[in-house]
Short mmCIF file of all heavy atoms in Angstrom, two decimals:
data_model
loop_
_atom_site.label_atom_id
_atom_site.label_comp_id
_atom_site.label_asym_id
_atom_site.label_seq_id
_atom_site.Cartn_x
_atom_site.Cartn_y
_atom_site.Cartn_z
N GLY A 152 -29.64 17.38 -6.02
CA GLY A 152 -30.93 16.90 -5.62
C GLY A 152 -31.04 16.10 -4.45
O GLY A 152 -32.17 15.86 -3.94
N ASP A 153 -29.96 15.95 -3.68
CA ASP A 153 -29.99 15.29 -2.36
C ASP A 153 -30.78 16.15 -1.39
O ASP A 153 -30.71 17.37 -1.36
CB ASP A 153 -28.59 14.95 -1.75
CG ASP A 153 -27.88 13.83 -2.40
OD1 ASP A 153 -28.68 13.14 -3.24
OD2 ASP A 153 -26.76 13.59 -2.16
N GLU A 154 -31.60 15.51 -0.57
CA GLU A 154 -32.39 16.22 0.52
C GLU A 154 -31.66 16.09 1.84
O GLU A 154 -31.17 15.02 2.16
CB GLU A 154 -33.75 15.67 0.57
CG GLU A 154 -34.60 15.94 -0.69
CD GLU A 154 -36.05 15.54 -0.59
OE1 GLU A 154 -36.49 14.98 0.46
OE2 GLU A 154 -36.85 15.96 -1.40
N ILE A 155 -31.71 17.21 2.54
CA ILE A 155 -31.10 17.30 3.90
C ILE A 155 -32.11 17.64 4.90
O ILE A 155 -32.75 18.75 4.78
CB ILE A 155 -29.91 18.30 3.86
CG1 ILE A 155 -28.92 17.94 2.82
CG2 ILE A 155 -29.29 18.41 5.25
CD1 ILE A 155 -28.00 19.10 2.44
N ASP A 156 -32.39 16.84 5.95
CA ASP A 156 -33.33 17.10 6.96
C ASP A 156 -32.58 18.14 7.95
O ASP A 156 -31.69 17.77 8.66
CB ASP A 156 -33.82 15.86 7.66
CG ASP A 156 -34.80 16.14 8.76
OD1 ASP A 156 -35.13 17.27 8.95
OD2 ASP A 156 -35.16 15.12 9.44
N LEU A 157 -33.05 19.36 7.96
CA LEU A 157 -32.54 20.38 8.91
C LEU A 157 -33.23 20.40 10.29
O LEU A 157 -32.86 21.13 11.13
CB LEU A 157 -32.56 21.75 8.34
CG LEU A 157 -31.89 21.97 6.94
CD1 LEU A 157 -31.92 23.44 6.62
CD2 LEU A 157 -30.47 21.39 6.94
N GLY A 158 -34.22 19.54 10.43
CA GLY A 158 -34.89 19.47 11.74
C GLY A 158 -36.10 20.48 11.71
O GLY A 158 -36.18 21.44 10.89
N GLY A 159 -37.03 20.15 12.54
CA GLY A 159 -38.24 21.15 12.74
C GLY A 159 -39.08 21.15 11.45
O GLY A 159 -39.71 22.18 11.24
N GLY A 160 -39.01 20.13 10.67
CA GLY A 160 -39.82 19.96 9.43
C GLY A 160 -39.24 20.71 8.28
O GLY A 160 -39.97 20.88 7.29
N THR A 161 -37.99 21.21 8.35
CA THR A 161 -37.42 21.95 7.20
C THR A 161 -36.49 21.00 6.46
O THR A 161 -35.61 20.24 7.03
CB THR A 161 -36.51 23.09 7.72
OG1 THR A 161 -37.41 24.07 8.41
CG2 THR A 161 -35.91 23.78 6.55
N THR A 162 -36.69 20.88 5.20
CA THR A 162 -35.85 20.18 4.25
C THR A 162 -35.09 21.07 3.23
O THR A 162 -35.76 21.97 2.66
CB THR A 162 -36.69 19.18 3.41
OG1 THR A 162 -37.35 18.26 4.26
CG2 THR A 162 -35.87 18.40 2.47
N ALA A 163 -33.84 20.87 3.17
CA ALA A 163 -32.93 21.57 2.23
C ALA A 163 -32.67 20.63 1.03
O ALA A 163 -32.51 19.43 1.16
CB ALA A 163 -31.71 22.12 2.85
N VAL A 164 -32.50 21.21 -0.11
CA VAL A 164 -32.14 20.47 -1.28
C VAL A 164 -30.75 20.95 -1.78
O VAL A 164 -30.56 22.09 -1.99
CB VAL A 164 -33.18 20.64 -2.43
CG1 VAL A 164 -32.71 19.89 -3.74
CG2 VAL A 164 -34.49 20.23 -2.02
N ALA A 165 -29.85 20.00 -1.94
CA ALA A 165 -28.53 20.28 -2.48
C ALA A 165 -28.56 20.57 -3.99
O ALA A 165 -29.24 19.76 -4.70
CB ALA A 165 -27.54 19.11 -2.24
N VAL A 166 -27.98 21.68 -4.49
CA VAL A 166 -28.03 21.99 -5.86
C VAL A 166 -26.58 22.05 -6.35
O VAL A 166 -25.77 22.91 -5.88
CB VAL A 166 -28.68 23.32 -6.09
CG1 VAL A 166 -28.69 23.62 -7.65
CG2 VAL A 166 -30.08 23.39 -5.43
N ALA A 167 -26.12 21.07 -7.15
CA ALA A 167 -24.79 21.19 -7.66
C ALA A 167 -24.49 22.49 -8.38
O ALA A 167 -25.31 22.88 -9.25
CB ALA A 167 -24.54 19.95 -8.62
N ALA A 168 -23.46 23.13 -8.11
CA ALA A 168 -23.12 24.44 -8.52
C ALA A 168 -21.74 24.57 -9.07
O ALA A 168 -20.91 25.39 -8.61
CB ALA A 168 -23.43 25.41 -7.44
N PRO A 169 -21.27 23.73 -10.05
CA PRO A 169 -19.94 23.71 -10.46
C PRO A 169 -19.54 24.98 -11.16
O PRO A 169 -20.43 25.66 -11.83
CB PRO A 169 -19.83 22.50 -11.43
CG PRO A 169 -21.20 22.38 -11.87
CD PRO A 169 -22.11 22.70 -10.72
N GLY A 170 -18.25 25.29 -11.19
CA GLY A 170 -17.79 26.44 -11.85
C GLY A 170 -16.87 27.26 -11.00
O GLY A 170 -15.71 27.58 -11.40
N HIS A 171 -17.34 27.67 -9.81
CA HIS A 171 -16.48 28.38 -8.93
C HIS A 171 -15.35 27.42 -8.42
O HIS A 171 -14.29 27.72 -8.44
CB HIS A 171 -17.27 28.90 -7.76
CG HIS A 171 -16.35 29.74 -6.78
ND1 HIS A 171 -15.88 30.90 -7.16
CD2 HIS A 171 -16.07 29.50 -5.47
CE1 HIS A 171 -15.14 31.36 -6.11
NE2 HIS A 171 -15.19 30.49 -5.16
N THR A 172 -15.78 26.24 -8.11
CA THR A 172 -14.92 25.03 -7.90
C THR A 172 -15.75 23.89 -8.50
O THR A 172 -16.83 23.91 -8.75
CB THR A 172 -14.66 24.74 -6.36
OG1 THR A 172 -15.81 24.36 -5.75
CG2 THR A 172 -14.08 26.00 -5.70
N PRO A 173 -14.96 22.77 -8.68
CA PRO A 173 -15.63 21.62 -9.37
C PRO A 173 -16.78 21.17 -8.58
O PRO A 173 -17.82 20.69 -9.08
CB PRO A 173 -14.49 20.60 -9.38
CG PRO A 173 -13.30 21.25 -9.40
CD PRO A 173 -13.55 22.49 -8.57
N GLY A 174 -16.74 21.20 -7.18
CA GLY A 174 -17.78 20.68 -6.37
C GLY A 174 -18.43 21.66 -5.54
O GLY A 174 -18.97 21.37 -4.40
N SER A 175 -18.54 22.89 -6.02
CA SER A 175 -19.39 23.93 -5.30
C SER A 175 -20.85 23.34 -5.26
O SER A 175 -21.29 22.79 -6.13
CB SER A 175 -19.34 25.22 -6.06
OG SER A 175 -18.18 25.95 -5.88
N VAL A 176 -21.50 23.65 -4.14
CA VAL A 176 -22.91 23.27 -3.94
C VAL A 176 -23.62 24.33 -3.31
O VAL A 176 -23.16 25.00 -2.39
CB VAL A 176 -22.97 21.94 -3.08
CG1 VAL A 176 -22.49 22.23 -1.65
CG2 VAL A 176 -24.29 21.39 -3.12
N ALA A 177 -24.84 24.64 -3.88
CA ALA A 177 -25.80 25.58 -3.21
C ALA A 177 -26.79 24.76 -2.39
O ALA A 177 -26.92 23.55 -2.60
CB ALA A 177 -26.54 26.33 -4.29
N LEU A 178 -27.49 25.47 -1.59
CA LEU A 178 -28.48 24.83 -0.73
C LEU A 178 -29.80 25.61 -0.81
O LEU A 178 -29.79 26.81 -0.67
CB LEU A 178 -27.99 24.87 0.68
CG LEU A 178 -28.47 23.78 1.71
CD1 LEU A 178 -28.12 22.43 1.29
CD2 LEU A 178 -27.96 24.06 3.18
N HIS A 179 -30.81 24.95 -1.19
CA HIS A 179 -32.16 25.64 -1.46
C HIS A 179 -33.22 25.01 -0.37
O HIS A 179 -33.36 23.73 -0.33
CB HIS A 179 -32.61 25.30 -2.83
CG HIS A 179 -33.94 26.05 -3.23
ND1 HIS A 179 -34.86 25.43 -3.99
CD2 HIS A 179 -34.32 27.29 -2.93
CE1 HIS A 179 -35.90 26.35 -4.19
NE2 HIS A 179 -35.57 27.47 -3.52
N LEU A 180 -33.88 25.95 0.32
CA LEU A 180 -34.92 25.56 1.16
C LEU A 180 -36.19 25.99 0.51
O LEU A 180 -36.68 27.14 0.75
CB LEU A 180 -34.74 26.27 2.57
CG LEU A 180 -33.73 25.67 3.51
CD1 LEU A 180 -32.30 25.62 2.87
CD2 LEU A 180 -33.66 26.48 4.81
N PRO A 181 -36.83 25.13 -0.27
CA PRO A 181 -38.05 25.57 -1.09
C PRO A 181 -39.21 26.07 -0.30
O PRO A 181 -39.77 27.04 -0.69
CB PRO A 181 -38.32 24.37 -1.92
CG PRO A 181 -37.64 23.29 -1.24
CD PRO A 181 -36.47 23.76 -0.53
N ASP A 182 -39.50 25.38 0.84
CA ASP A 182 -40.67 25.85 1.53
C ASP A 182 -40.45 27.22 2.27
O ASP A 182 -41.29 28.05 2.39
CB ASP A 182 -41.08 24.89 2.65
CG ASP A 182 -41.52 23.49 2.00
OD1 ASP A 182 -41.97 23.55 0.84
OD2 ASP A 182 -41.48 22.53 2.71
N GLU A 183 -39.21 27.45 2.67
CA GLU A 183 -38.87 28.70 3.39
C GLU A 183 -38.42 29.71 2.31
O GLU A 183 -38.13 30.85 2.71
CB GLU A 183 -37.77 28.49 4.43
CG GLU A 183 -38.24 27.74 5.66
CD GLU A 183 -38.49 26.25 5.40
OE1 GLU A 183 -37.96 25.76 4.39
OE2 GLU A 183 -39.07 25.64 6.29
N ARG A 184 -38.14 29.36 1.11
CA ARG A 184 -37.71 30.25 0.03
C ARG A 184 -36.49 30.96 0.36
O ARG A 184 -36.24 32.13 0.23
CB ARG A 184 -38.85 31.28 -0.30
CG ARG A 184 -40.21 30.63 -0.69
CD ARG A 184 -41.12 31.77 -1.03
NE ARG A 184 -40.80 32.40 -2.19
CZ ARG A 184 -40.94 33.66 -2.54
NH1 ARG A 184 -41.54 34.45 -1.61
NH2 ARG A 184 -40.56 34.29 -3.68
N VAL A 185 -35.49 30.08 0.83
CA VAL A 185 -34.06 30.53 1.11
C VAL A 185 -33.18 29.90 0.29
O VAL A 185 -33.26 28.68 -0.01
CB VAL A 185 -33.81 30.32 2.55
CG1 VAL A 185 -32.36 30.71 2.86
CG2 VAL A 185 -34.66 31.16 3.52
N LEU A 186 -32.16 30.61 -0.30
CA LEU A 186 -31.11 29.94 -1.06
C LEU A 186 -29.76 30.41 -0.61
O LEU A 186 -29.46 31.60 -0.42
CB LEU A 186 -31.30 30.46 -2.65
CG LEU A 186 -30.27 30.00 -3.56
CD1 LEU A 186 -30.29 28.49 -3.73
CD2 LEU A 186 -30.52 30.73 -4.89
#
């Protein structure tokens, strides 16, 4: 759920994605609809 400011008005949301490794993380850009 952490938010990451990518600049230019774009915010990414960290999505914990355990299983592949304990700390795998996905990145979701909800406004741009990119995962």
Side-chain angles (χ1 to χ4, degrees):
D153 283 353
E154 294 188 348
I155 304 162
D156 182 2
L157 302 186
T161 298
T162 299
V164 180
V166 182
H171 184 66
T172 67
S175 286
V176 65
L178 207 62
H179 185 218
L180 281 57
D182 292 342
E183 287 75 16
R184 302 183 67 218
V185 173
L186 176 64

